[in-house]
Amino acid sequence: MQTSRTPQHDPLAPPALAGRTALVTGAAGGIGRACAEALAAAGAHVHVVDKAGDAARSLAERIGGTAWVADLSVAEAVDALPADADIVVNNAGLQHVAPVHEFPPDRFALIHRVMVEAPFRILRRTLPGMYERGWGRVVNISSVHGLRASPYKSAYVSAKHALEGLSKVVALEAAPHGVTSNCVSPGYVRTPLVENQIADQARSHGISEQDVVGRVLLERSAIKSLIEPDDVAGAVLWLCGPGAAHITGSSVTMDGGWTAN
């Protein structure tokens, strides 16, 4: 009689990403920091990219990575980043809220430079090395706003939609070379940016921060709690692992049921 056996983890086996090099943008805090920590724990050497120099250097020292202080809105700074990455996590982003007819054009252009042009420039330089080595993972931190729209966020929504499109094009071009490209598209994540928004809205509406989360931010979500950065990092790590080798051109939606409506 045959019995099924559960595969056991070999404690002497090397980490899953040992020998790999990862580049994470916006890595000094929030989702980026969680991704950098997770990739480093899995054995990768991480290029920690952020314009917050002290925070980037502190994180890089703690996880054994390398800090790169760069303003991703400046093309020359982006093109000076290392091109040796096996794994690229395009995470850096920013937000501005205003109706289209009042949206500052320079702010719109800035958001697109950081969230669309910078990922393009990074991939343009890192993909050839991945192709040569026959392996690579591209993970773009998109958003539920890469799949749906909200008023007053024209720059952010259009940039995330563009990032989703770029990711799919890379998936089609890179597949013959052993490289996958996917998006992780979360809803509201517990980051300093979101927590500041919660506090501001609580003051302006005269309601509790808990009510802001449940009744305003997560109105369309079935799960009424913020996503943690470590949860997003877990999805990123999974997409870089062997179990996701045939997943490419996809968007892993992590929105608590928002897009199920």
Side-chain angles (χ1 to χ4, degrees):
M1 177 179 171
Q2 292 184 332
T3 58
S4 62
R5 297 180 61 189
T6 302
Q8 299 297 309
H9 172 66
D10 181 357
L12 300 179
L17 298 177
R20 303 294 187 188
T21 298
L23 185 151
V24 182
T25 66
I31 294 172
R33 180 175 61 194
C35 289
E37 291 171 340
L39 292 166
H45 179 88
V46 181
H47 293 305
V48 177
V49 180
D50 205 293
K51 67 178 183 179
D54 290 344
R57 285 186 284 267
S58 176
L59 175 62
E61 181 178 359
R62 180 161 57 81
I63 66 174
T66 304
W68 296 82
V69 183
D71 182 347
L72 299 187
S73 70
V74 179
E76 293 78 8
V78 178
D79 292 343
L81 294 174
D84 64 341
D86 304 295
I87 298 165
V88 169
V89 180
N90 287 308
N91 166 72
L94 65 157
Q95 178 65 281
H96 186 86
V97 178
V100 170
H101 67 283
E102 296 177 359
F103 209 101
D106 58 344
R107 196 69 177 171
F108 188 97
L110 172 65
I111 289 172
H112 276 252
R113 285 201 305 274
V114 172
M115 295 170 58
V116 184
E117 183 178 341
F120 160 74
R121 286 181 173 275
I122 290 169
L123 293 175
R124 182 176 180 273
R125 297 181 65 248
T126 55
L127 284 172
M130 296 184 198
Y131 292 171
E132 183 178 346
R133 292 185 292 273
W135 191 92
R137 296 291 180 264
V138 177
V139 185
N140 301 296
I141 305 302
S142 180
S143 164
V144 70
H145 283 116
L147 308 170
R148 297 289 189 273
S150 290
Y152 312 121
K153 298 179 180 180
S154 57
Y156 188 87
V157 169
S158 58
K160 289 300 189 183
H161 273 68
L163 185 63
E164 295 266 356
L166 175 63
S167 184
K168 290 180 172 66
V169 171
V170 171
L172 297 178
E173 293 183 5
H177 305 282
V179 178
T180 65
S181 176
N182 295 286
C183 288
V184 175
S185 303
Y188 285 100
V189 181
R190 192 186 305 279
T191 63
L193 178 65
V194 169
E195 290 182 327
N196 288 338
Q197 290 180 27
I198 293 169
D200 289 344
Q201 291 201 36
R203 284 191 295 270
S204 63
H205 294 294
I207 59 177
S208 70
E209 293 189 4
Q210 184 176 359
D211 283 341
V212 171
V213 172
R215 290 164 44 190
V216 181
L217 298 188
L218 303 180
E219 179 185 7
R220 289 188 259 179
S221 298
I223 299 174
K224 302 297 184 183
S225 61
L226 295 175
I227 301 160
E228 300 298 331
D230 286 344
D231 294 335
V232 182
V236 171
L237 189 61
W238 174 68
L239 287 170
C240 294
H246 284 81
I247 298 177
T248 196
S250 296
S251 184
V252 178
T253 308
M254 184 182 290
D255 65 355
W258 183 339
T259 52
N261 284 305

